[in-house]
Amino acid sequence: MKILVALKRVADPDNANKVKIPADGSKVDTAGLEWKPNPFDDYALETALRLTEDGKSNKVRKGEVVVVSFGPKEVETTLRSALATGADRAIRVECTDEQLDGFLVARALAKLVETEKPDVVMLGKQAVDGDSNQVGQILAELLDWPQAAFAATLREESAGLLVGREVDGGVLEIRVSFPAVVTVDLRIVAPRSVYSTATDAAFKYNDGVRFAPLPAIMQARKKPLDTKSLAELTTEKPRIRYVRYEAPPARKAGTKVVDVDALLDKLKNEAKAL
Amino acid sequence: MANVLVVAEFADGKVKKTTHSAVTFARTAAAALGGSYSILVLGSSAGMAVDELAKLGAAKVLVAEDASLGNYLAETYAPTVAEVAKDYAVVVAAASGFGKDLLPRVAGALAAGYAADITEVLSSGGTLQYKRPMFAGNAFGICVIDSAVQVVTVRQSAFAPAEPTGAVSPSEKVGIAPSGKAAGRVEWVKYEQVKNERPELAEAKVVVAGGRALKEQFYELLDPLADALGAAIGASRAACDNGYCAPDLQVGQTGKVVAPGLYFAIGISGAIQHLAGMKSSKVIVSVNKDGDAPIFQISDYGLVGDLFKVVPELTEKLRAIKAG
């Protein structure tokens, strides 16, 4: 199986409350925040690696994982770390973050799919900076492929995947045949969420994503990393234009109450919420 | 024609309340554009939804009824939505599991821009501007869409459900657009609904949410409290990940977004991604044994204490108040 995984770097989501909006509202200033891989994209990579090994050993590979990211030279850090974690090959699409919107990324990925011919394009369900949750679904439509969005479990079958999707009120199971687009949700990295046809049914992964061992970080420097220009993949214009940004309304800390009686008194008589 | 198309969410023979929030958006957007709004409903028994949808003041209720639309799949619904949407300036659905799956695919079919999870619609010189949360709600972006059709989903908690107008809209049948190859390569297998007798999380007036600290006693402690308050139950990501509760209870940046009148955060420390899903609640109460937990910074009332003692006491006293 060949899997193309799209990766995005984002400003440290654990410090997202430190982003600043300048008085003119011209941007979201993330200065001072470290770049981190988008957590959902990390899960997509982990999922792709699980699907291309037998579980027992990550050295016995039965497929190829190609990672792609969009951005300036610095995003190669994200790609190298994905290569160290286990991806086989990387592609960087040269552009600035400002040039992009979800539509353009999906267009460019669709073009890349023509040459890469993966069985699956695997993405995080959303990037936690833009919070749009869109690229996988747009891409699936552009390719006329089935989409398995918000996947929480995956079972590889002979020519496709059985996917448990987390939807409102429960879990919806669908079956997609290759090639397909999958976007992953949080629970996809639970120990028993992903099984390839080679994985023993009793096998349990460690919870969460794997980390690159030190020798792999050295070896990753030798793995292929190609660069393409955005114009090679699409000449479309973005469809979304931000005209300004605003800070959210501030919420003040209230009061601490001493006990349950004091709380109920406040809720009843001050907040009138009971 | 500067009109707005609402895609109704219709499942198990019922129009979901999310649809009413999308209609509220459509009323504002259509007024700003000087146009009207229509509602499209799809399904193998979509005709059942007409009576209810016809009360919501739409110019038309459009009904796409076909056996091929039995169980919702984006691959079978998107072609018809896209075909109908070509005659509209804006197409909208709520940012529910349904809308977030379907509408980006529709945008792809129309080569249109898609603005997700918007909380407010503004108008500037006849152009619609959409306000949407980003960075886990720590910034809002105001954007415009540069395409013939604009595709948006709206945050349910930011748009109050539309009330009936008293008029009855005419309805008309629309044809089914041919599906692409994708529709033949996806199969609906089964839906396992999590049993829930409580109000819908996104619509409840009171939400009781629990965190990791509740451990295996999540339901044991929260069920009685939620019963006493007539509340929905929510959870932090940590509680869901640890399997203490059902995953669809998750409130946060990537789970459900709620804005009830009263929100109880029980044993929830207040991670950024959780706050993104609840900080628009009117009154926030938190109970946590750590007095420095970030949740207290956004809480109206904080109680530092052992939740295993506080919650049963609170439940009992609420019952007493209710009993009068």
Side-chain angles (χ1 to χ4, degrees), chain A residues 85-126:
Chain A
T85 312
D88 300 286
R89 204 150 59 72
I91 301 165
R92 178 173 70 87
V93 180
E94 167 68 36
C95 59
T96 63
D97 293 330
E98 293 73 30
Q99 276 177 286
L100 297 172
D101 70 351
F103 177 77
L104 225 56
V105 171
R107 274 276 165 162
L109 286 174
K111 187 71 185 170
L112 209 53
V113 163
E114 281 178 23
T115 47
E116 290 293 331
K117 299 186 172 54
D119 301 295
V120 175
V121 182
M122 188 83 69
L123 310 94
K125 75 164 182 180
Q126 80 192 58

Side-chain angles (χ1 to χ4, degrees), chain B residues 45-71:
Chain B
S45 57
M48 283 170 64
V50 170
D51 287 349
E52 188 175 347
L53 295 175
K55 294 175 188 160
L56 295 174
K60 279 185 286 191
V61 175
L62 304 166
V63 186
E65 187 174 278
D66 192 85
S68 68
L69 302 173
N71 289 310

Side-chain angles (χ1 to χ4, degrees), chain B residues 2 4 25-35 121-129:
Chain B
V4 180
F25 163 89
R27 286 179 181 170
T28 312
L33 293 170
V121 55
L122 310 158
S123 164
S124 168
T127 303
L128 294 179
Q129 298 185 332

Side-chain angles (χ1 to χ4, degrees), chain A residues 11 13-19 21 28 30 39-40 43 101 103 107 125-135 137-138 140-150 162 165-180 185-187 207 236 238-249 251-261 263-264 266-268 270-271 273-274, chain B residues 9 16 72-75 78 96-98 100-102 104-105 107-109 111-116 122 129 131-147 180-183 185-194 229 237 240-241 247-248 250 253-256 261-262 264 272 279-285 291 296-304 310 313-314 317-318 321:
Chain A
D14 294 329
N15 284 298
N17 57 343
K18 298 198 176 78
V19 301
I21 316 283
V28 180
T30 60
F40 287 97
Y43 307 152
D101 70 351
F103 177 77
R107 274 276 165 162
K125 75 164 182 180
Q126 80 192 58
V128 298
D129 50 2
D131 279 337
S132 283
N133 190 334
Q134 60 179 347
V135 173
Q137 298 91 312
I138 298 173
E141 172 62 27
L142 297 179
L143 295 168
D144 194 9
W145 287 9
Q147 69 187 48
F150 331 141
L162 185 64
R165 299 183 51 226
E166 285 185 3
V167 297
D168 297 336
V171 176
L172 172 65
E173 205 168 78
I174 63 170
R175 179 175 279 120
V176 292
S177 58
F178 298 136
D185 214 322
L186 300 168
R187 254 71 64 180
D207 197 14
E236 289 274 357
R239 300 293 196 266
I240 299 281
R241 193 158 39 89
Y242 282 90
V243 291
R244 66 177 190 280
Y245 298 91
E246 287 175 4
R251 193 165 179 125
K252 276 187 238 130
T255 49
K256 293 245 173 79
V257 292
V258 290
D259 57 17
V260 169
D261 290 324
L263 173 62
L264 288 170
K266 290 275 191 194
L267 286 177
K268 217 172 156 185
E270 188 177 273
L274 288 179
Chain B
E9 186 169 355
K16 296 279 210 91
Y72 161 76
L73 287 168
E75 293 83 348
S96 59
F98 167 80
K100 289 193 285 191
D101 188 49
L102 176 62
R105 188 156 189 133
Y114 169 65
L122 310 158
Q129 298 185 332
K131 186 168 169 177
R132 52 178 308 274
M134 308 169 84
F135 294 88
N138 290 290
F140 281 87
I142 291 107
C143 65
V144 295
I145 303 179
D146 296 318
S147 55
K181 290 194 196 98
R185 296 202 287 111
V186 58
E187 179 196 342
W188 192 98
V189 180
K190 65 171 193 269
Y191 174 53
E192 274 178 36
Q193 193 168 8
V194 179
L229 287 158
R237 175 181 169 183
C240 297
D241 279 359
D248 78 317
Q250 187 183 323
Q253 181 185 16
T254 64
K256 300 246 169 45
L262 181 56
F264 286 85
I272 286 171
K279 70 178 176 186
S280 302
S281 304
K282 195 154 171 274
V283 177
I284 298 173
V285 175
F296 287 122
Q297 290 165 23
I298 61 137
S299 299
D300 299 280
Y301 304 109
L303 177 50
V304 181
V310 170
E313 185 189 344
L314 181 61
K317 288 182 170 161
L318 279 165
I321 292 172

Side-chain angles (χ1 to χ4, degrees), chain B residues 44-253:
Chain B
S44 56
S45 57
M48 283 170 64
V50 170
D51 287 349
E52 188 175 347
L53 295 175
K55 294 175 188 160
L56 295 174
K60 279 185 286 191
V61 175
L62 304 166
V63 186
E65 187 174 278
D66 192 85
S68 68
L69 302 173
N71 289 310
Y72 161 76
L73 287 168
E75 293 83 348
T76 55
Y77 276 47
T80 299
V81 176
E83 188 56 38
V84 174
K86 282 178 186 159
D87 295 330
Y88 291 83
V90 182
V91 51
V92 61
S96 59
F98 167 80
K100 289 193 285 191
D101 188 49
L102 176 62
L103 279 251
R105 188 156 189 133
V106 170
L110 294 164
Y114 169 65
D117 204 21
I118 70 163
T119 55
E120 198 179 342
V121 55
L122 310 158
S123 164
S124 168
T127 303
L128 294 179
Q129 298 185 332
Y130 306 107
K131 186 168 169 177
R132 52 178 308 274
M134 308 169 84
F135 294 88
N138 290 290
F140 281 87
I142 291 107
C143 65
V144 295
I145 303 179
D146 296 318
S147 55
V149 184
Q150 306 181 2
V151 182
V152 303
T153 53
V154 297
R155 179 170 279 195
Q156 191 184 354
S157 63
F159 292 87
E163 298 290 339
T165 57
V168 177
S169 315
S171 67
E172 72 185 47
K173 285 200 184 296
V174 296
I176 305 301
S179 295
K181 290 194 196 98
R185 296 202 287 111
V186 58
E187 179 196 342
W188 192 98
V189 180
K190 65 171 193 269
Y191 174 53
E192 274 178 36
Q193 193 168 8
V194 179
K195 258 209 166 138
N196 191 359
E197 311 283 307
R198 301 190 183 284
E200 287 261 356
L201 191 47
E203 290 155 22
K205 293 189 173 65
V206 183
V207 171
V208 171
R212 179 173 17 207
L214 287 156
K215 300 233 164 72
E216 274 78 16
Q217 283 166 272
F218 187 93
Y219 288 110
E220 189 186 320
L221 279 158
L222 294 196
D223 269 334
L225 178 59
D227 286 341
L229 287 158
I233 293 184
S236 72
R237 175 181 169 183
C240 297
D241 279 359
N242 282 295
Y244 303 146
C245 61
D248 78 317
L249 297 188
Q250 187 183 323
V251 171
Q253 181 185 16

